[in-house]
C-alpha cells in the first residue's frame, strides 16, 4: 500500500477502521507515544499513536521534530480530546532524519524575524502554512474572476526598455562584463554593444503593453512579477512583487472602480470560503499579537470581522479634493498630530493621511479619484478643469494604497502635450502613441499589488512575510 492519503482528507474522513498510509513531517512527539504529523494540506495535524512497547527504541529515537515519516496504520475514531480521528501505527518508516540539536524550527513560538532568516523552513510552521495556502487561493481566484468575465490573460514582458511610471526606480538588465563596460568616445556607456543593443530594465509595470492588448482584445489582465529598485525599507514595499493589471477598452473610471471593487470582494470571499480554517487560525494569531499592543492601538475588529466587513460594505468613493477638505478639518490635523501637516491642495497624501481616512473617518475601504495631474502619471485622462486627472487609488485599512489606476488619456493631442510637459520622450514610445493614432477609444485599468492583498487577507503586518522569498534592500537570500 503506497497510496498516501492527505491529512486534510483523513481528518474529514467519514469512514474509520480503514487501513491508511500517511506521510508528512513531525511537528511534535510526546510521551514516546503521540506524533503530531503535518503534510501541509491543512493547518491541523493528524495524531499518530505509536505502540512504543513494541517498537524498536532506535526507531523511536529518530522520531524527532522535523523528520519526514511514512506511516501505515488504521484510522480510528479518537478517544482523546482535540481530534476526531487518529491513526494507530502498524509501521513507521523514517524517510528523512532531522537532528533535534540543529533543526531551527522547534515546537514553540518563533519570532517572524527569525523565521524570515529561515525562510527555507518557515513553510513548516502553522502561520506560514496558512499564509501560503491563502496566497495560493487568492492567486487562483484572481484568474477565475477574470476568466469568468471573458478576460484574456496577457503575458507582458519582464525585460523592457520603457519605464512606465518614469520614476526611474528600475533594475538594469545587461550582460556586459561589469569589470569592462564598453564606453563611447565621449565616455558614456555604449549600450549599442549590450545584449539588446540598448539600455533595458526589469519591468515596473505591464500597463503600457497591456493597453496595446486591450486595444484589440478589449478585456485583458496581466499577473506577473514586477520589480522596483526603490530603497524604501517599509513594511509595504518589496523589490520584487506580483502585480495584477487589468485593462479594459470602452471602460470609464466608474466602470474601472466597479471592476476593482468586484474583484477584491470576489477574491476575498473565495479565500474565506476555501480557507476557512487557515483564516480562523490567522484571526487568532492576530488577536494574540494585538494583545501585546496598548489598548488604543488595537483594532476594533478581528481579522475575520474585517474581511466580512469589507465584503458587506460599499467602498467609499470621493475625490481627492473632498479628501483634502476632510483632512484639513480633521482633529489630528488641527491638533497637529500628523507628522506631515495637511499641506493643502496639490500635494500627495502621506500614508498617515490615507490611514486616517480609511481607519478613522470612514472606517472602510476608500476610493479616491481625480487627483492633481502634477502628482500622477502622464497617461491619465485629463479632466476639463485643467487641473485634475481621472485617477483612482483604493485605500485599505491597515495597508494604505492597495490599487492604483485610472481612465487613460485616449486623445492623441492631449497625451502628446502632457508628455512634452513632463519631458517624456514621445519618439521612444511611438508604439504606445500608435494606439491613439489608429482606432483610439476610451479605456481604463488599474494595478493591484498582489502581496498587499495577501497582507490584508492574512492580517500579517509585514509584506516580507507574505511572499515565499522576499527581495528587499540588502537581501536576496535563498
Ligand atoms: P506606493 O505609493 O505605495 O509606493 P505606488 O503609487 O508606487 O504605490 P503604483 O505604481 O500605482 O503604486 O503600483 C500599483 C500597485 O502596486 C500599488 O497600489 C501597490 O499595491 C503595488 N505596489 C507598488 N509598489 C510596490 C512595492 N514596492 N511592493 C509591493 N507592492 C507594490
Ligand atoms: Mn511606490
Amino acid at each position: 500500500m503506497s497510496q498516501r492519503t492527505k491529512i486534510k482528507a483523513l481528518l474529514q474522513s467519514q469512514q474509520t477502521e480503514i487501513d491508511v498510509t500517511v506521510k508528512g513531517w513531525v511537528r511534535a512527539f510526546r510521551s514516546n507515544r503521540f506524533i503530531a504529523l503535518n503534510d501541509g494540506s491543512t493547518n491541523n495535524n493528524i495524531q499518530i499513536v505509536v505502540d512504543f512497547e513494541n517498537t524498536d527504541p532506535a526507531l523511536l529515537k529518530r522520531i524527532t521534530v522535523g523528520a519526514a515519516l511514512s506511516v501505515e496504520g488504521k484510522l480510528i475514531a479518537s478517544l482523546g480530546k482535540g481530534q476526531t480521528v487518529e491513526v494507530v501505527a502498524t509501521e513507521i518508516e523514517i524517510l528523512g532524519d532531522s537532528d533535534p540539536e540543529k533543526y531551527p524550527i522547534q515546537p514553540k513560538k518563533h519570532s517572524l524575524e527569525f523565521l524570515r532568516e529561515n525562510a527555507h523552513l518557515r513553510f513548516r510552521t502553522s502561520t506560514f502554512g496558512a499564509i501560503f495556502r491563502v496566497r495560493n487561493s487568492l492567486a487562483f481566484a484572481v484568474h477565475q474572476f477574470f476568466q469568468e468575465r471573458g478576460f484574456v490573460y496577457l503575458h507582458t514582458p519582464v525585460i523592457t526598455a520603457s519605464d512606465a511610471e518614469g520614476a526611474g526606480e528600475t533594475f538594469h538588465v545587461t550582460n556586459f562584463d561589469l569589470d569592462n563596460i564598453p564606453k563611447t568616445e565621449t565616455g558614456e556607456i555604449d549600450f549599442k554593444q549590450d545584449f539588446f543593443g540598448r539600455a533595458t530594465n526589469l519591468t515596473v509595470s505591464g500597463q503600457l503593453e497591456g493597453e496595446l492588448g486591450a486595444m484589440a482584445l478589449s478585456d485583458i489582465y496581466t499577473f506577473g512579477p514586477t520589480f522596483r529598485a526603490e530603497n524604501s525599507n517599509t513594511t509595504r514595499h518589496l523589490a520584487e512583487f506580483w502585480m495584477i493589471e487589468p485593462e479594459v477598452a470602452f471602460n470609464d473610471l466608474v466602470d474601472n472602480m466597479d471592476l476593482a471593487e468586484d474583484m477584491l470582494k470576489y477574491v476575498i470571499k473565495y479565500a474565506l470560503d476555501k480557507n476557512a480554517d487557515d483564516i480562523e487560525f490567522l484571526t487568532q494569531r492576530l488577536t494574540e499579537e494585538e494583545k501585546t499592543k496598548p489598548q488604543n492601538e488595537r483594532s476594533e475588529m478581528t481579522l475575520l470581522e474585517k474581511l466580512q466587513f469589507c465584503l458587506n460594505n460599499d467602498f467609499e468613493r470621493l475625490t481627492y479634493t473632498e479628501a483634502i477638505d476632510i483632512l484639513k478639518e480633521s482633529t489630528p490635523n488641527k491638533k497637529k498630530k500628523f507628522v506631515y501637516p495637511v499641506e493643502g491642495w496639490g500635494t500627495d497624501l502621506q500614508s498617515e493621511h490615507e490611514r486616517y481616512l480609511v481607519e478613522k473617518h470612514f472606517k472602510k475601504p476608500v476610493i479616491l479619484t481625480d487627483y492633481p495631474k502634477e502628482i500622477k502619471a502622464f497617461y491619465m485622462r485629463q479632466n476639463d478643469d485643467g487641473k485634475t486627472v481621472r485617477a483612482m487609488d483604493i485605500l485599505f485599512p491597515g495597508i494604505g494604497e492597495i490599487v492604483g489606476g485610472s481612465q487613460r488619456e485616449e486623445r492623441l493631442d492631449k497625451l502628446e502635450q502632457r508628455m512634452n510637459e513632463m519631458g517624456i520622450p514621445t519618439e521612444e514610445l511611438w508604439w504606445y502613441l500608435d494606439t491613439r493614432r489608429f482606432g483610439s477609444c476610451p479605456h481604463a485599468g488599474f494595478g493591484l499589488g498582489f502581496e498587499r492583498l495577501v497582507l490584508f487577507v492574512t492580517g500579517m503586518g509585514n509584506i516580507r512575510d507574505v511572499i515565499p522569498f522576499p527581495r528587499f534592500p540588502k537581501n536576496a537570500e535563498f
Side-chain angles (χ1 to χ4, degrees), residues 33-268:
R33 194 174 169 84
F34 302 107
I35 307 171
L37 199 70
N38 190 283
D39 65 0
S41 59
T42 159
N43 239 337
N44 302 311
N45 305 324
I46 188 120
Q47 175 156 289
I48 311 287
V49 185
V50 185
D51 178 5
F52 66 95
E53 279 156 347
N54 296 307
T55 305
D56 178 3
L59 183 94
L60 285 177
K61 259 205 181 125
R62 293 172 63 199
I63 303 174
T64 56
V65 175
L69 305 189
S70 175
V71 176
E72 283 175 29
K74 199 172 251 31
L75 187 72
I76 62 157
S78 176
L79 302 173
K81 283 191 298 229
Q83 66 271 328
T84 53
V85 291
E86 61 193 18
V87 173
V88 178
T90 50
E91 194 164 331
I92 296 176
E93 186 191 345
I94 313 278
L95 300 174
D97 288 288
S98 172
D99 183 343
E101 300 292 308
K102 294 187 181 141
Y103 184 59
I105 312 294
Q106 294 301 318
K108 63 159 201 172
K109 205 171 150 50
H110 291 294
S111 75
L112 294 171
E113 291 75 18
F114 173 83
L115 291 171
R116 220 171 283 144
E117 284 159 18
N118 289 280
H120 59 309
L121 295 170
R122 67 178 178 173
F123 302 109
R124 298 202 191 166
T125 65
S126 300
T127 298
F128 286 91
I131 291 169
F132 292 112
R133 279 187 299 271
V134 169
R135 181 180 166 113
N136 167 65
S137 292
L138 288 169
F140 182 79
V142 164
H143 285 294
Q144 185 163 286
F145 173 85
F146 286 119
Q147 295 295 327
E148 279 175 358
R149 283 158 187 75
F151 282 62
V152 172
Y153 178 28
L154 196 73
H155 297 91
T156 50
V158 169
I159 299 173
T160 130
S162 72
D163 169 4
E165 307 288 326
E169 290 165 335
T170 59
F171 289 101
H172 300 294
V173 174
T174 178
N175 73 337
F176 275 155
D177 172 0
L178 295 186
D179 290 325
N180 187 14
I181 297 173
K183 297 276 171 69
T184 62
E185 278 165 14
T186 51
E188 280 132 22
I189 296 173
D190 187 8
F191 285 109
K192 284 209 176 62
Q193 294 189 49
D194 203 352
F195 188 88
F196 296 105
R198 60 192 298 179
T200 48
N201 54 268
L202 293 177
T203 184
V204 294
S205 160
Q207 181 201 317
L208 300 188
E209 290 92 349
E211 282 188 53
L212 312 183
M215 289 297 105
L217 300 162
S218 299
D219 309 65
I220 67 96
Y221 69 106
T222 72
F223 188 170
T226 308
F227 308 87
R228 294 190 185 176
E230 46 196 352
N231 214 340
S232 41
N233 252 310
T234 76
T235 54
R236 304 283 175 268
H237 291 89
L238 290 162
E240 174 181 298
F241 63 102
W242 287 67
M243 184 139 69
I244 296 139
E245 295 180 278
E247 191 69 38
V248 185
F250 319 115
N251 264 10
D252 64 14
L253 192 70
V254 175
D255 302 321
N256 205 29
M257 288 191 277
D258 291 344
L259 181 68
E261 187 169 339
D262 285 352
M263 182 189 91
L264 286 164
K265 287 179 170 169
Y266 181 101
V267 301
I268 292 168

